[in-house]
Amino acid sequence: MTRPASAPGPSADLPPLDDAELAALRRVGRHWARTVADEPRASLPVEPGLHGYPDEVTPGRFNRVVSVQNGGATRAGEEVRDDAPPRRARMLRILLGPPLRSTALASEKIRKLVALPVLSADALSSVAYGPEAMVAVLVLAGSAGLGVSLPIAGAIAFLMLATGVSYRQTIRAYPNGGGSYIVATDNLGRRLGLTAAAGLLTDYVLTVAVSVSSGVSAVTSAVPSLGPAAVPIGAGVIAVLLAGNLRGVRQAGSIFAAPTYAFIAAMAALIAVGLVQAAGRGFHPTPHPPIAAAEGVGLLLVLRAFASGSTAMTGIEAISNAVPAFQPPGWRNARTTLTVMVGILIVLFAGTVVLVHIDGVVPRGGETVLSQLAHQTFGGGPLYALTQAATAAVLLLAANTAFNDFPRVLSLMARDRQAPRMFLRMGDRLAFSNGIAILAVAAGAILVGFNGQTSSLIPLYAVGVFLAFALSQTGMVVHWRRHRGPHWRRSMIFNGTGAVLSSIVFVIAGVTKFTAGAWVSILVVVLVVVGGSRIRRHYAIVHRALALHPAGGPTARVTETEESPETIRHLVVVPVRTIDLASMRALAYADSLGQPVLAVHISATQEEADRFVDYWRAWGDHLPLEVVVSPYRALVAPLVHYIEALHSQRGDLTLTVVLPEVVVRRPWHRILHGRTESRLRRALKPLRKVVVTTVPVHLPD
Amino acid sequence: MTRPASAPGPSADLPPLDDAELAALRRVGRHWARTVADEPRASLPVEPGLHGYPDEVTPGRFNRVVSVQNGGATRAGEEVRDDAPPRRARMLRILLGPPLRSTALASEKIRKLVALPVLSADALSSVAYGPEAMVAVLVLAGSAGLGVSLPIAGAIAFLMLATGVSYRQTIRAYPNGGGSYIVATDNLGRRLGLTAAAGLLTDYVLTVAVSVSSGVSAVTSAVPSLGPAAVPIGAGVIAVLLAGNLRGVRQAGSIFAAPTYAFIAAMAALIAVGLVQAAGRGFHPTPHPPIAAAEGVGLLLVLRAFASGSTAMTGIEAISNAVPAFQPPGWRNARTTLTVMVGILIVLFAGTVVLVHIDGVVPRGGETVLSQLAHQTFGGGPLYALTQAATAAVLLLAANTAFNDFPRVLSLMARDRQAPRMFLRMGDRLAFSNGIAILAVAAGAILVGFNGQTSSLIPLYAVGVFLAFALSQTGMVVHWRRHRGPHWRRSMIFNGTGAVLSSIVFVIAGVTKFTAGAWVSILVVVLVVVGGSRIRRHYAIVHRALALHPAGGPTARVTETEESPETIRHLVVVPVRTIDLASMRALAYADSLGQPVLAVHISATQEEADRFVDYWRAWGDHLPLEVVVSPYRALVAPLVHYIEALHSQRGDLTLTVVLPEVVVRRPWHRILHGRTESRLRRALKPLRKVVVTTVPVHLPD
């Protein structure tokens, strides 16, 4: 539902040809016709339509292919194969559900009251870890440090406001969805767009890791006996998210609305009751437990606390991505929703920090700050349990949001040929399966690698988020300067403010947290940018190399005759290892093609070579044979060498190497048979004009 | 050098055909001649000899193939490939050394004075852990337990004597080498032979693990600061043994002689000096440190101590395997050597136990019993250091022995078709590389898994050893009953005694140590026996299935025509995904074969399908095309389904599926290209009469 229109559709497999390409195609075709016109066309032994396909087939639980109705009766003695896929495929199918048609892509529009919880789970849930991350830094300077928490929180609240106003401009300018990657690419160019995408990708991986670890902390705070199992629980949660998203979970509004509203209600109650209780005490702060100050209140400490606390605003950009999902007028509804969300976010964030200050709560192992607040305010009763449950649920939903967004960014990158093509296609459940799997693996690895500690993950988090924010908002500044629509000056100022502030936070987070983990995120960003550029270059080379080139054109150095059949001259080479049915089948297949055939035998000893020649003569010497003696017992290398020699002697020939392959029925039988066939195939791959043909020999049951 | 004549040679690739097989071959050949006689034979476009091979080529550092002298000059514009293999292969070559000719297999005969240290390293080194393992059990019963160490040691010494006498009979009966596998198979049948082999295999794995862990302990006893690194050091030692044996280290006598003689000398000095010192005290035992008795001296404790202590005789069978390596008269020299070795073994073992008793030494963490004895006897000076160094060295050599024996047993099993064929062939360094690698991995895993603790490995050890002993000696009893040579009754009694005693130890070790780890060894033995039998059955099925069957014979249900070319009717199927050079090459190749061609396109949508048909017409519609719409975006499944449908409609056709494959230059580029080609190949493999042809399309640099 949050899939914007700018995401690629289910298929981009057959790119349309432009006029030049069509002309080249026609020309290639004319050349083909000229050269093969004098040959008699072999008549087709089958009717390719197979008596027609059924028009409409409902996918069942186990079939995802259009079944072919067979016009004729099954031939006697013919093996009848049933349509049930092998067991592994069937297990997968039960887990993931039946395939979905491309037309099943949801295009439903959502109301604001549903959009708010759906799209703000990520941002609002950040309140569960942001304030704690900030206080955890300040506590290093003892009471003096905790004293500056209110001013820092004020700065972060202002940042939230500025970013919110800035994204309001983006929504107006990109009513079809303005993700950071699209806005940055549009306005700042490919390379900075790639940088924004890299920031987003690290952001989403860390959203999953941080939300899950923080959600698990919410649970273990309430049930401390689960504490030691936190990492396995977190990994399990990621596995469930993976399975759910591979199934293609639609973000049904009602499912998402409940926990988010419950979280908002619980937090609001917590803050309200907490403030009333504090008012009863005349707002005298409860003294916090004595803390040994490890360092003074310096600028560096304040900046680090600021960077940590600003993770409370991750996810604020979600609404600007999803404008097309709103009921019309989309951009107006989206802006209203964004405003409400930012308002709630600021209230919850500020309220939490004030309450932490008044209640004298400090971070400690085993229980989250939010849980401590709830304990102090509600006691240990059902209200406390509700708060913890709502917190865990909204964090789970936040993680799930990333499972929608990460593969979408990857597929946009793949559409622009800056990511591997495998991220482009949707699986048969209409989900981007490969991207989902990569996200789950990366987030799981980080979660386990950092031992499920939210506090260790925070330093990695802010960098990617604010890099993407900064580039997106800088892109908007360029956009307004170029397009100069209504109110463009005001919008540019708002976006400019957002861009400057985000850049400052990015620099602060990158510098102050560099050694604590930010270097990991920066390294990943650099790798994605460099990798994306190299992938793009590779695809460009492939595209040029595989393009049809008009005859006589500048690229016609590659002889055009390779695309038409008449000039291909064949030699079929059959490596024969021993005299058995498999070799005989390969020889018979090779000979039946009607092209010249040469059999080659590799022997370890001269004696064995002589024996083989005797057998060959006993058979009748029907085909030319060459025997090579390899005194080092190697099989593959001398054969490849011989074929290379053949090729260098007669470069005009296309060599077809026919290999028999024994097909076993059970996977474990494979280790009982040599890997000669696959090793030979790999060794022959780099040779030009060497075609490899595998003739299967099936074993009986 | 210890490779007995019964080991398989370097090549068993071309099995000789018997008369029936030759007749079948002739018959198949005549049939071929009859059916293709009327066709004109296509003339061969090359001279297969390529102007002859050089007669003799010295293998260089990097080439292991016979290079082909190219008669003609390299064609202009032709890519010239140099002979240097890719970097990975070159690295491997430097590590492992240049390839060796089959004729380089050593057949040197050794003198007794060299054979003794070479072949007894395994047995004698067992003194380093056997007595300690025994005392470590007894110490659980405190002083009372230690009191029975001497009687138990006496029983073990008697067992050594009996086993030694028993193996003297084996040497006489099997002058060509009588390993347990051969003797048991010969006399007790295939299944018990397999059981003996399974025992041997676990024995060799544990020899490596125990010898290495014990050798590392000898080092860490002397240099306690290395203690925490014991496991990495042990793993490193196994890696060095792996590399050395893959290189094909010849067991040069002088290298082996030195440490073994040094160990014998050091142990003899230790025992002698220790006894002299004890005599000075009037043989009054030094009181051992106070020990809390955890249990009483029961039968079970005594039996467990006996089983642990009997690991001191592992390796005693080595000489009987290696009879052919002795100077003639081999069997006489081997017997003399065995007698001397058993004598030394009994003296060292008994002396050690007596000294342990007199000196009041008990096992403790961080220092081996042998090291404690050496400390008490020699102080901390050079004699102590020499003792520890010799112990470590002889244990290393014992581990190395297993690297010779394990792959040899596996290759004997493979020769009998009871192990995967990959263990049969020697690598280009004339070593059984696969078996060596498996041994190193298994021993390394066990060493790491048991945290390098010799004491935890001992319970696994005795089971396999005494299982092989018992079966081998029982086999000898059967042998004497059958053959009744000179002194057969006496020999039978000796072997019978050995068999009964070994069986008793096997049962004791299996029962008393079952839960402590013996179950692992027993499980492995069962798995090897079951696996070996299933492997044998599979190979038999394959052999029958691939045998040439004479026409009209009882197995001629499989139509014989599959082995002659005339009845093969072709249809070439070309899956076309998009219009590019790769597809055009595949189409051109397919068409040039001169057989009927059908192109198939799979579309995700009807709209895409229509567009493809338009392009096809623009090209000129040169070949019949079938378009299949797959609404679930799958590519492979509908294609396979279509080909299955074709096959079931016309089962007489041989379908050749031509697939273009883009060949990339760098491994990492592979993830940028779909795996459609390999997935399709895997999916088509189970289909009968479906041949897969890969046309490579090479990208420019």
Side-chain angles (χ1 to χ4, degrees):
Chain A
M1 205 152 59
T2 58
R3 206 180 305 284
S6 53
S11 163
D13 217 37
L14 183 67
L17 300 184
D18 62 23
D19 286 348
E21 288 169 322
L22 257 181
L25 177 62
R26 288 214 176 77
R27 193 142 182 174
V28 167
R30 279 199 301 276
H31 184 76
W32 181 302
R34 237 181 1 256
T35 53
V36 298
D38 47 346
E39 281 182 43
R41 167 73 62 90
S43 74
L44 206 58
V46 291
E47 196 269 290
L50 298 172
H51 311 282
Y53 288 87
D55 271 351
E56 183 77 29
V57 176
T58 328
R61 191 151 191 87
F62 298 128
N63 66 318
R64 61 172 182 173
V65 293
V66 178
S67 70
V68 175
Q69 278 188 335
N70 188 353
T74 308
R75 292 160 54 88
E78 199 60 46
E79 193 189 11
V80 180
R81 294 176 53 93
D82 65 344
D83 273 6
R87 191 164 54 172
R88 193 171 133 258
R90 207 156 60 216
M91 294 288 292
L92 217 61
R93 191 70 24 236
I94 290 170
L95 201 65
L96 303 183
L100 296 175
R101 274 181 180 265
S102 303
T103 48
L105 261 184
S107 53
E108 184 195 349
K109 301 287 182 187
I110 46 174
R111 289 178 303 142
K112 276 176 285 185
L113 275 178
V114 175
L116 178 66
V118 168
L119 297 170
S120 61
D122 189 2
L124 296 183
S125 68
S126 310
V127 173
Y129 46 82
E132 174 159 1
M134 182 181 84
V135 177
V137 173
L138 293 176
V139 86
L140 295 174
S143 306
L146 292 176
V148 296
S149 67
L150 293 186
I152 298 178
I156 294 174
F158 176 72
L159 186 63
M160 288 174 175
L161 189 67
T163 309
V165 171
S166 182
Y167 271 113
R168 279 173 59 93
Q169 317 310 317
T170 308
I171 288 171
R172 181 156 64 91
Y174 282 85
N176 291 322
S180 302
Y181 173 66
I182 292 174
V183 173
T185 305
D186 261 18
N187 298 298
L188 304 175
R190 197 185 58 74
R191 191 166 287 269
L192 285 173
L194 204 48
T195 311
L200 283 178
L201 294 181
T202 63
D203 174 13
Y204 293 135
V205 170
L206 283 158
T207 296
V208 173
V210 169
S211 297
V212 167
S213 76
S214 190
V216 171
S217 295
V219 172
T220 56
S221 295
V223 191
S225 61
L226 290 177
V231 172
I233 292 174
V237 168
I238 292 180
V240 169
L241 287 170
L242 169 67
N245 280 282
L246 284 182
R247 256 192 99 97
V249 171
R250 294 298 116 211
Q251 299 188 349
S254 52
I255 291 183
F256 263 62
T260 310
Y261 280 130
F263 178 72
I264 295 174
M267 288 298 298
L270 178 67
I271 293 165
V273 174
L275 289 178
V276 168
Q277 287 174 351
R281 298 192 309 264
F283 288 106
H284 285 297
T286 312
H288 54 71
I291 311 158
E295 52 184 296
V297 181
L299 179 63
L300 192 61
L301 183 88
V302 169
L303 291 180
R304 269 160 53 208
F306 175 73
S308 289
S310 59
T311 55
M313 55 188 292
T314 53
I316 207 169
E317 82 288 3
I319 291 176
S320 70
N321 289 336
V323 185
F326 280 84
Q327 284 183 334
W331 70 272
R332 262 194 195 291
N333 286 329
R335 282 179 82 152
T336 313
T337 310
L338 176 65
T339 309
V340 172
M341 180 185 85
V342 170
I344 296 174
L345 178 62
I346 291 176
V347 169
L348 295 190
F349 176 75
T352 308
V353 175
V354 168
L355 218 56
V356 166
H357 184 71
I358 290 177
D359 283 3
V361 166
V362 293
R364 64 159 193 256
E367 185 169 12
T368 64
V369 163
L370 220 56
S371 168
Q372 292 183 52
L373 282 184
H375 258 138
Q376 286 199 18
T377 310
F378 295 141
L383 271 177
Y384 167 77
L386 183 75
T387 309
Q388 292 305 105
T391 307
V394 82
L395 284 164
L396 189 67
L397 295 189
N400 193 59
T401 312
F403 272 93
N404 272 276
D405 291 341
F406 180 91
R408 193 176 45 77
V409 171
L410 261 184
S411 87
L412 287 169
M413 289 168 67
R415 192 192 54 182
D416 296 344
R417 296 169 176 272
Q418 307 197 102
R421 207 151 54 187
M422 62 174 160
F423 296 117
L424 186 58
R425 288 173 65 89
M426 286 183 174
D428 56 15
R429 292 286 303 179
L430 288 170
F432 293 107
S433 325
N434 292 324
I436 289 169
I438 295 264
L439 172 62
V441 169
I446 284 184
L447 187 81
V448 172
F450 285 78
N451 208 15
Q453 297 281 321
T454 311
S455 54
S456 329
L457 293 168
I458 291 289
L460 283 75
Y461 201 1
V463 180
V465 179
F466 283 93
L467 176 59
F469 281 6
L471 286 168
S472 154
Q473 291 169 84
T474 309
M476 286 311 298
V477 173
V478 174
H479 173 88
W480 295 123
R481 275 191 54 132
R482 281 196 193 142
H483 292 80
R484 311 204 172 202
H487 319 298
W488 69 274
R489 276 177 213 280
R490 205 182 58 197
S491 295
M492 200 169 84
I493 289 168
F494 285 145
N495 280 130
T497 312
V500 170
L501 291 176
S502 298
S503 306
I504 291 172
V505 181
F506 167 66
V507 172
I508 290 174
V511 172
T512 63
K513 306 272 181 172
F514 190 80
T515 51
W519 67 269
V520 177
S521 300
I522 292 174
L523 182 68
V524 170
V525 167
V526 170
L527 288 180
V528 170
V529 172
V530 171
S533 298
R534 294 187 66 173
I535 288 170
R536 191 183 162 87
R537 195 156 59 234
H538 175 79
Y539 279 139
I541 290 172
V542 172
H543 184 76
R544 268 198 308 277
L546 294 187
L548 298 178
H549 24 65
T555 51
R557 201 179 60 84
V558 181
T559 48
E560 199 208 7
T561 49
E562 286 177 62
E563 290 129 56
S564 57
E566 101 290 4
T567 47
I568 298 180
R569 295 207 46 200
H570 286 281
L571 173 62
V572 184
V573 178
V574 188
V576 183
R577 203 163 159 189
T578 178
I579 301 272
D580 62 7
L581 191 72
S583 318
M584 283 297 151
R585 285 227 184 119
L587 288 170
Y589 175 87
D591 197 39
S592 71
L593 289 173
Q595 307 289 347
V597 177
L598 172 64
V600 180
H601 176 72
I602 311 285
S603 278
T605 60
Q606 187 59 48
E607 177 268 329
E608 196 181 295
D610 295 342
R611 199 143 48 86
F612 189 84
V613 171
D614 288 345
Y615 294 154
W616 196 259
R617 291 208 182 106
W619 174 60
D621 202 10
H622 297 295
L623 292 167
L625 169 72
E626 179 66 16
V627 176
V628 177
V629 175
S630 154
Y632 308 117
R633 295 163 305 285
L635 242 169
V636 171
L639 196 52
V640 171
H641 204 76
Y642 181 79
I643 288 169
E644 279 180 334
L646 273 180
H647 179 68
S648 77
Q649 198 180 48
R650 283 291 304 273
D652 60 324
L653 291 180
T654 294
L655 302 175
T656 299
V657 180
V658 176
L659 302 172
E661 187 183 18
V662 171
V663 180
V664 292
R665 298 221 144 221
R666 305 201 180 170
W668 77 266
H669 286 162
R670 243 174 263 153
I671 59 164
L672 302 182
H673 295 271
R675 297 177 304 114
T676 313
E677 193 265 343
S678 57
R679 282 169 58 210
L680 199 49
R681 171 194 311 286
R682 203 163 49 234
L684 290 174
K685 214 179 242 182
L687 306 192
R688 283 173 194 277
K689 294 177 107 172
V690 173
V691 173
V692 177
T693 291
T694 309
V695 177
V697 180
H698 295 89
L699 294 181
D701 295 321
Chain B
M1 206 153 56
T2 58
R3 206 179 307 283
S6 52
S11 161
D13 217 37
L14 183 66
L17 301 184
D18 61 24
D19 286 347
E21 288 169 323
L22 258 181
L25 177 62
R26 288 214 175 81
R27 195 142 180 172
V28 166
R30 278 198 302 275
H31 184 78
W32 180 305
R34 237 183 356 257
T35 53
V36 299
D38 47 345
E39 281 182 41
R41 167 72 62 90
S43 74
L44 208 58
V46 290
E47 196 270 290
L50 299 170
H51 310 285
Y53 288 87
D55 272 348
E56 184 79 26
V57 176
T58 328
R61 194 153 190 85
F62 298 128
N63 66 316
R64 60 169 181 175
V65 294
V66 177
S67 70
V68 176
Q69 276 189 339
N70 189 351
T74 307
R75 293 159 54 90
E78 200 58 46
E79 194 189 11
V80 180
R81 295 176 52 94
D82 65 344
D83 273 4
R87 191 164 49 170
R88 191 171 134 258
R90 207 157 58 219
M91 296 288 290
L92 217 61
R93 193 69 23 234
I94 290 170
L95 201 64
L96 302 184
L100 296 176
R101 274 182 179 264
S102 304
T103 48
L105 262 184
S107 53
E108 185 194 347
K109 302 285 179 186
I110 45 172
R111 288 178 303 141
K112 276 175 285 185
L113 274 180
V114 174
L116 177 67
V118 167
L119 296 170
S120 61
D122 188 1
L124 295 182
S125 68
S126 309
V127 174
Y129 45 81
E132 174 159 3
M134 182 181 83
V135 178
V137 174
L138 292 176
V139 84
L140 295 173
S143 305
L146 293 175
V148 295
S149 67
L150 292 187
I152 297 178
I156 294 174
F158 175 72
L159 186 63
M160 289 172 173
L161 190 67
T163 310
V165 172
S166 182
Y167 271 113
R168 277 172 59 94
Q169 317 309 318
T170 307
I171 288 172
R172 182 155 64 91
Y174 282 85
N176 291 322
S180 302
Y181 173 65
I182 292 174
V183 172
T185 306
D186 261 17
N187 298 298
L188 304 176
R190 196 185 60 71
R191 193 166 286 270
L192 285 173
L194 203 49
T195 311
L200 283 177
L201 294 180
T202 62
D203 174 13
Y204 293 136
V205 170
L206 284 157
T207 297
V208 174
V210 169
S211 298
V212 168
S213 77
S214 189
V216 172
S217 295
V219 173
T220 56
S221 294
V223 192
S225 63
L226 290 177
V231 173
I233 293 175
V237 168
I238 291 181
V240 169
L241 286 170
L242 169 67
N245 279 283
L246 285 181
R247 256 192 99 100
V249 172
R250 295 297 117 212
Q251 300 188 350
S254 52
I255 292 183
F256 264 60
T260 309
Y261 279 131
F263 178 72
I264 295 173
M267 287 299 296
L270 178 67
I271 293 166
V273 174
L275 288 179
V276 167
Q277 289 172 351
R281 297 193 309 266
F283 288 106
H284 284 296
T286 313
H288 53 72
I291 312 158
E295 52 185 293
V297 182
L299 179 64
L300 192 63
L301 182 90
V302 169
L303 291 179
R304 269 160 55 210
F306 174 72
S308 290
S310 59
T311 56
M313 54 188 291
T314 56
I316 208 170
E317 81 288 4
I319 291 177
S320 69
N321 289 338
V323 185
F326 280 84
Q327 282 182 335
W331 70 272
R332 261 193 196 289
N333 286 328
R335 282 178 83 154
T336 313
T337 311
L338 176 64
T339 308
V340 173
M341 180 185 86
V342 171
I344 296 175
L345 177 62
I346 292 176
V347 169
L348 296 189
F349 175 75
T352 308
V353 175
V354 168
L355 219 55
V356 166
H357 184 72
I358 291 177
D359 283 4
V361 166
V362 293
R364 64 160 193 254
E367 186 171 11
T368 63
V369 163
L370 219 55
S371 167
Q372 292 183 54
L373 281 185
H375 258 137
Q376 286 200 17
T377 309
F378 295 142
L383 269 179
Y384 167 76
L386 184 75
T387 307
Q388 293 305 104
T391 307
V394 81
L395 283 163
L396 190 68
L397 295 190
N400 193 59
T401 311
F403 273 93
N404 272 275
D405 291 340
F406 180 92
R408 192 175 47 78
V409 170
L410 261 183
S411 86
L412 286 170
M413 289 168 69
R415 191 192 55 180
D416 296 344
R417 297 170 177 271
Q418 309 198 96
R421 206 151 55 188
M422 62 175 157
F423 296 117
L424 186 58
R425 287 173 65 90
M426 286 183 174
D428 57 15
R429 291 286 303 178
L430 287 172
F432 293 106
S433 325
N434 292 322
I436 290 170
I438 295 264
L439 173 63
V441 169
I446 283 184
L447 187 81
V448 173
F450 285 78
N451 208 17
Q453 297 281 320
T454 311
S455 55
S456 330
L457 294 168
I458 291 288
L460 284 76
Y461 200 2
V463 180
V465 178
F466 282 94
L467 177 59
F469 281 5
L471 287 168
S472 153
Q473 292 169 83
T474 309
M476 286 309 300
V477 172
V478 173
H479 173 88
W480 294 122
R481 275 187 56 127
R482 278 196 195 143
H483 291 81
R484 312 202 171 204
H487 318 299
W488 68 274
R489 276 175 212 280
R490 204 181 60 198
S491 295
M492 201 171 85
I493 290 169
F494 285 145
N495 280 130
T497 311
V500 169
L501 291 177
S502 298
S503 305
I504 291 173
V505 181
F506 167 66
V507 171
I508 290 174
V511 171
T512 62
K513 307 271 182 172
F514 190 80
T515 51
W519 68 270
V520 177
S521 300
I522 292 174
L523 183 68
V524 169
V525 167
V526 170
L527 288 179
V528 170
V529 172
V530 172
S533 296
R534 296 187 66 173
I535 288 170
R536 190 184 160 87
R537 195 156 59 234
H538 176 77
Y539 279 139
I541 290 173
V542 172
H543 183 76
R544 268 199 307 278
L546 295 187
L548 299 177
H549 24 65
T555 51
R557 204 178 60 85
V558 181
T559 49
E560 198 208 10
T561 48
E562 285 178 62
E563 289 130 55
S564 57
E566 101 289 5
T567 46
I568 299 180
R569 296 207 45 199
H570 286 280
L571 172 62
V572 183
V573 177
V574 189
V576 182
R577 201 163 162 188
T578 178
I579 300 273
D580 63 6
L581 190 70
S583 318
M584 284 295 153
R585 285 228 185 119
L587 289 169
Y589 175 85
D591 198 37
S592 72
L593 289 174
Q595 306 289 347
V597 177
L598 171 64
V600 179
H601 176 72
I602 310 285
S603 277
T605 60
Q606 186 60 48
E607 175 270 329
E608 197 182 293
D610 295 341
R611 199 145 47 85
F612 189 84
V613 171
D614 288 345
Y615 294 154
W616 195 259
R617 293 209 180 104
W619 174 59
D621 202 10
H622 297 295
L623 292 168
L625 169 71
E626 177 66 16
V627 176
V628 177
V629 176
S630 153
Y632 308 117
R633 295 161 306 285
L635 242 169
V636 172
L639 196 53
V640 171
H641 204 75
Y642 182 79
I643 288 168
E644 279 181 333
L646 274 180
H647 179 68
S648 75
Q649 200 179 49
R650 284 292 304 270
D652 60 322
L653 292 180
T654 294
L655 302 175
T656 299
V657 180
V658 176
L659 302 172
E661 185 183 20
V662 172
V663 180
V664 294
R665 298 223 144 223
R666 304 197 182 175
W668 78 266
H669 286 162
R670 243 175 264 154
I671 59 164
L672 302 181
H673 296 271
R675 297 177 304 115
T676 313
E677 193 264 345
S678 57
R679 280 170 58 211
L680 202 48
R681 171 195 309 288
R682 204 163 46 233
L684 291 174
K685 214 180 244 181
L687 305 193
R688 283 171 194 278
K689 294 176 103 172
V690 173
V691 173
V692 177
T693 291
T694 310
V695 177
V697 180
H698 294 89
L699 295 180
D701 295 321

